[in-house]
């Protein structure tokens, strides 16, 4: 599974993802080709011209959960699998090429521009664009979403993160209903990421519709696919070709998403029941499918990374010195080797939370903060008041409470269990006990990670756009208070941050110079290391498995996926 980055992809930018993280001990099966992250391509989608793609057919897409909330501005909708579904059926204002460069999505926005002072952004909308209800998509849809997600509208709207919308002071109608003008309180360099996706205005003005209208349903659509059908028993989501689509027509008749537990996907694919899925670091799946006839494995940079998350709201983990100590007790290189070595992928544990290896400024910012040093970790815990009564015992504080942590994993992922057990053994060496709890994969994020019902967990943040500022919703906060007067952490599932981190994210989102932007991103990454909010241990591999006759689908990296171009390669092409 995956959480969107900034979807804090967690709300519209980083999304949460649950992925197989297969682990095996020792050196055997390690990567022998000395390939580095810099050698991995930016994209791998089997590009084929539209004229060489058949018209018609179905594409069966395997995913590792069956989502229930499809409003991505809601905390429960901030998932990578949700993004994969809704981007085919809802508007997105801008799209990205493989370098991450944005451009207007002509199906919805014919042009966009920003004023010289950076305070005014103008969209000229495609007048042909309309909702599945037959209503035109106008400036009002944009205005209502900006007001609600930005937090300006009163009411019980459960918004995961304002995600840049809070900087819009006013939205006004331009020359006609198909021109919208946004007035920002301050320059906002990442404005192309907004309205991805866009929802109908009626689902942004009423709290009940906002919170519940897209639960188990996608009632109103606007995209190359639509008329979405749900089968809760079979756990399938069927996207049908939109015959009223005003853009280039979809090549496929249907995209059918199939929800399975992660460990089942490789075998289901091997049985030819699905046509493609994200394999990730599943060693058993890799061995099963690496030589499958008529199949290919993608190899490209993925816009995500895997990490061990600490819940900073837990009384045992609220002390930053404790979190720093635990970071030094975890051997990131060993975890990366155990996970990546057996699948023919670089085992480099270098991770930058805000920048991918294909982006300007990518670097390691962990020096002095993440080296594997159990002796130092033990010393730091002693100084933090967690001591061992005797050698080999679990540490206790002055009240006699044991330093015992609850590590939550998803069911249907044996490799996730292996990963937790490896870390459990590492932490045991310094007197920290870990209890591993397996929970249903369908509830892993909504029932445990998002509400903070855990102390330690491992998952992936993946981005839906190239902007580092999207991570502000994952690492900043709090973003106000809940109705109960508690801090509202939105999409920050670690529920901890600092004023300095928040201030740096504010600075980042105003910066327009690429070099300075990267510098600030690295400064923030360093601050997150200092605050020990999580422990990244590898950049997520862009490893999908797909029928070799499927065109224009796979690992897109920083680029946008063109759903209308996906299809079966025409015979003779």
């Amino acid at each position: 599974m995956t959480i969107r980055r900034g979807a804090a992809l967690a709300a519209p930018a980083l999304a949460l993802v649950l992925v197989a993280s297969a682990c095996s001990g020792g050196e055997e099966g390690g990567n022998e080709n000395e390939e580095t992250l810099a050698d991995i391509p930016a994209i791998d989608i089997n590009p084929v011209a539209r004229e060489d793609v058949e018209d018609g057919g179905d594409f069966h897409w395997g995913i590792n959960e069956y989502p229930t909330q499809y409003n991505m501005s809601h905390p429960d909708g901030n998932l990578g699998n949700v993004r994969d579904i809704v981007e085919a059926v809802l508007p997105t204002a801008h799209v990205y090429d493989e370098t991450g460069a944005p451009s207007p999505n002509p199906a919805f926005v014919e042009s966009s521009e920003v004023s010289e002072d950076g305070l005014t952004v103008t969209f000229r909308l495609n007048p042909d664009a309309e909702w599945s209800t037959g209503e035109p998509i106008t400036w009002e849809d944009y205005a209502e979403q900006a007001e609600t997600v930005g937090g300006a509208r009163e009411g019980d709207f459960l918004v995961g993160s304002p995600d840049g919308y809070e900087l819009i002071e006013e939205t006004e109608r331009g020359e006609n209903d198909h021109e919208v003008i946004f007035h920002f309180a301050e320059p906002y360099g990442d404005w192309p990421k907004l309205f991805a996706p866009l929802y109908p205005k009626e689902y942004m003005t009423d709290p009940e519709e906002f919170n519940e209208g897209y639960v188990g349903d996608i009632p109103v659509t606007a995209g190359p696919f639509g008329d979405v059908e749900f089968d809760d028993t079979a756990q399938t989501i069927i996207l049908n070709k939109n015959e009223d689509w005003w853009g280039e027509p979809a090549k496929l008749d249907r995209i059918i998403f199939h929800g399975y537990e992660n460990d089942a996907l490789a075998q289901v694919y091997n049985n030819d029941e699905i046509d493609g899925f994200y394999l990730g670091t599943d060693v058993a799946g890799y061995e099963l499918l690496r030589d499958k006839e008529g199949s290919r494995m993608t190899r490209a940079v993925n816009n995500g990374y895997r990490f061990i998350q600490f819940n900073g709201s837990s009384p045992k983990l609220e002390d930053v010195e404790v979190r720093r100590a635990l970071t030094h007790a975890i051997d990131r290189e060993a975890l990366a080797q155990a996970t990546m070595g057996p699948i023919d992928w670089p085992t480099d544990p270098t991770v930058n939370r805000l920048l991918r290896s294909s982006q300007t400024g990518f670097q390691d910012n962990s020096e002095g903060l993440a080296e594997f040093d159990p002796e130092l970790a033990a010393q730091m815990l002693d100084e933090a008041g967690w001591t061992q009564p005797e050698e080999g015992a679990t540490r206790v504080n002055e009240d006699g409470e044991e330093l015992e942590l609850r590590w939550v994993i998803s069911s249907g992922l044996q490799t996730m269990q292996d990963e937790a057990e490896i870390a459990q053994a590492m932490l045991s060496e310094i007197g920290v006990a870990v209890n591993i709890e397996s929970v249903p994969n369908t509830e892993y994020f909504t029932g445990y990670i998002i509400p903070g019902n855990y102390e330690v967990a491992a998952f992936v943040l993946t981005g839906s756009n190239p902007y580092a500022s999207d991570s502000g919703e994952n690492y900043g906060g709090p973003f106000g208070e809940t109705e109960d007067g508690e801090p509202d952490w939105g999409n920050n599932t670690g529920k901890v941050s600092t004023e300095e981190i928040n201030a740096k994210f504010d600075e980042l989102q105003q910066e327009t110079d690429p070099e300075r932007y990267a510098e600030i991103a690295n400064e923030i990454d360093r601050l997150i290391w200092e605050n020990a909010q999580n422990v990244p241990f590898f950049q997520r591999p862009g490893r999908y498995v797909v029928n070799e006759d499927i065109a224009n689908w796979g690992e897109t990296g920083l680029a946008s996926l063109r759903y209308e171009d996906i299809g079966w390669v025409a015979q003779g092409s």
Side-chain angles (χ1 to χ4, degrees):
M1 281 174 199
T2 303
I3 281 183
R4 275 186 327 131
R5 184 172 48 121
L9 236 252
L14 282 183
L16 296 172
V17 179
L18 177 64
V19 299
S21 191
C23 301
S24 64
E27 298 294 328
E28 183 178 354
N31 189 353
E32 299 177 356
N33 61 10
E34 298 183 356
E35 189 177 34
T36 69
L37 290 175
D39 298 318
I40 302 296
I43 190 169
D44 185 356
I45 61 169
N46 187 27
V48 176
R50 283 179 56 87
E51 58 265 26
D52 295 325
V53 178
E54 288 184 359
D55 292 317
D58 296 338
F59 175 57
H60 294 265
W61 185 333
I63 57 176
N64 60 358
E65 63 189 324
Y66 183 67
T68 56
Q69 171 63 268
Y70 294 90
N71 180 352
M72 294 203 72
S73 293
H74 188 286
D76 292 348
N78 182 40
L79 301 175
N81 285 320
V82 173
R83 184 191 67 217
D84 287 340
I85 294 165
V86 301
E87 285 188 343
V89 298
L90 288 172
T92 54
H94 290 81
V95 292
Y96 306 91
D97 65 17
E98 64 184 71
T99 70
S103 61
N105 182 351
F108 301 103
V109 178
E110 293 184 335
S111 67
S112 60
E113 60 188 32
V114 61
S115 62
E116 289 188 8
D117 62 6
L119 296 176
T120 303
V121 172
T122 302
F123 289 2
R124 293 175 182 83
L125 309 180
N126 186 337
D128 294 331
E130 64 179 23
W131 299 107
S132 55
T133 58
E135 290 295 315
I137 299 175
T138 72
W139 76 279
E140 292 181 331
D141 295 294
Y142 290 84
E144 303 296 2
Q145 182 156 319
E147 182 174 349
T148 297
V149 181
R153 192 187 305 278
E154 293 185 2
D156 188 20
F157 294 91
L158 300 180
V159 177
S161 167
D163 196 39
Y165 292 97
E166 78 279 11
L167 299 177
I168 300 176
E169 286 189 321
E170 180 187 4
T171 305
E172 67 172 325
R173 181 180 184 269
E175 293 183 356
N176 53 50
D177 284 349
H178 295 101
E179 183 175 87
V180 55
I181 303 171
F182 307 99
H183 298 280
F184 286 80
E186 58 192 43
Y188 181 51
D190 295 353
W191 57 267
K193 76 176 186 179
L194 300 175
F195 307 104
L198 175 73
Y199 289 86
K201 59 186 177 184
E202 59 267 29
Y203 290 88
M204 287 287 151
T205 54
D206 178 81
E208 183 175 354
E209 292 287 13
F210 181 92
N211 298 330
E212 304 292 338
Y214 276 73
V215 172
D217 194 11
I218 306 180
V220 181
T221 61
F225 291 87
D227 188 21
V228 185
E229 304 173 47
F230 294 85
D231 187 328
D232 295 341
T233 301
Q235 297 205 334
T236 59
I237 303 127
I238 301 174
L239 316 184
N240 293 285
K241 179 178 179 178
N242 181 4
E243 299 293 349
D244 296 323
W245 173 241
W246 52 94
E248 290 187 300
K251 285 292 183 177
L252 292 166
D253 291 327
R254 301 187 302 174
I255 298 176
I256 305 173
F257 288 88
H258 298 260
Y260 292 96
E261 289 201 337
N262 205 95
D263 282 353
L265 282 166
Q267 188 59 59
V268 171
Y269 178 84
N270 196 48
N271 295 341
D272 298 322
E273 297 175 50
I274 55 177
D275 301 311
F277 75 103
Y278 179 74
L279 177 67
T281 56
D282 181 357
V283 173
Y286 176 76
E287 293 298 331
L288 175 66
L289 302 174
R290 62 188 302 181
D291 297 320
K292 179 176 172 61
E293 185 176 354
S295 182
R296 73 181 190 92
M297 290 188 179
T298 66
R299 190 176 187 80
V301 172
N302 179 271
N303 191 8
Y305 56 95
R306 188 163 183 83
F307 57 94
I308 295 169
Q309 176 92 311
F310 301 133
N311 183 350
S313 68
S314 164
K316 297 174 185 176
L317 296 173
E318 62 185 3
D319 184 348
V320 65
E321 294 303 323
V322 172
R323 300 195 303 271
R324 286 176 176 172
L326 298 179
T327 300
H328 282 296
I330 294 170
D331 189 341
R332 297 189 302 132
E333 290 189 9
L335 281 172
Q337 174 63 48
T339 303
M340 314 295 273
I343 64 166
D344 184 31
W345 203 273
T347 58
D348 185 350
T350 302
V351 172
N352 186 309
R353 298 173 181 86
L354 276 70
L355 300 170
R356 300 290 77 76
S357 59
S358 58
Q359 289 182 285
T360 299
F362 173 81
Q363 67 182 42
D364 180 14
N365 297 299
S366 66
E367 183 178 0
L369 298 170
E371 290 81 359
F372 178 53
D373 191 339
E375 290 186 8
L376 175 60
Q379 177 185 333
M380 293 174 72
L381 287 175
D382 286 339
E383 295 173 353
W386 292 94
T387 59
Q388 285 184 288
E390 58 185 31
E391 186 176 352
T394 299
R395 291 177 177 272
V396 296
N397 62 14
E398 60 181 9
D399 297 324
E401 181 184 14
E402 292 188 335
L403 187 50
E404 186 176 36
L405 302 176
R406 177 167 162 257
W407 188 309
V408 174
I409 66 171
S410 171
S411 65
L413 271 172
Q414 179 58 44
T415 51
M416 203 179 208
Q417 174 87 28
D418 296 342
E419 177 183 76
E421 289 177 354
I422 290 174
Q424 180 187 51
M426 293 173 182
L427 293 173
S428 176
E429 291 296 312
I430 62 165
V432 178
V434 172
N435 290 325
I436 301 171
E437 178 183 346
S438 178
V439 302
N441 76 314
T442 55
E443 300 176 14
Y444 182 68
F445 285 118
T446 57
Y448 293 87
I449 303 304
I450 294 172
N453 183 15
Y454 76 100
E455 288 179 308
V456 187
F459 51 92
V460 166
L461 277 177
T462 181
S464 61
N465 65 59
Y467 295 111
S469 70
D470 258 2
S471 296
E473 61 187 49
N474 302 111
Y475 293 111
F479 308 103
E481 293 184 349
T482 66
E483 288 186 340
D484 299 327
E486 297 296 321
D488 182 0
W489 288 101
N491 291 322
N492 180 343
T493 56
K495 306 188 183 305
V496 65
S497 189
T498 68
E499 291 184 5
E500 191 174 3
I501 289 173
N502 282 307
K504 277 293 178 181
F505 271 115
D506 288 342
E507 182 182 353
L508 179 68
Q509 65 186 13
Q510 296 180 51
E511 185 56 59
T512 57
D513 178 73
E515 291 188 5
R516 179 56 186 152
Y517 189 92
E519 289 176 2
I520 300 171
N522 282 309
E523 291 169 8
I524 295 172
D525 188 45
R526 178 71 180 180
L527 290 172
I528 298 170
W529 275 117
E530 291 175 357
N531 201 36
Q533 294 180 215
N534 59 23
V535 185
F537 56 98
F538 63 77
Q539 184 168 287
R540 189 187 190 213
R543 173 66 59 73
Y544 286 78
V545 183
V546 58
N547 186 300
E548 65 180 9
D549 291 328
I550 287 291
N552 303 315
W553 186 90
E555 178 53 67
T556 59
L558 300 175
S560 301
L561 179 63
R562 282 182 53 87
Y563 288 81
E564 57 266 49
D565 292 350
I566 302 170
W568 295 89
V569 178
Q571 293 185 358
S573 298

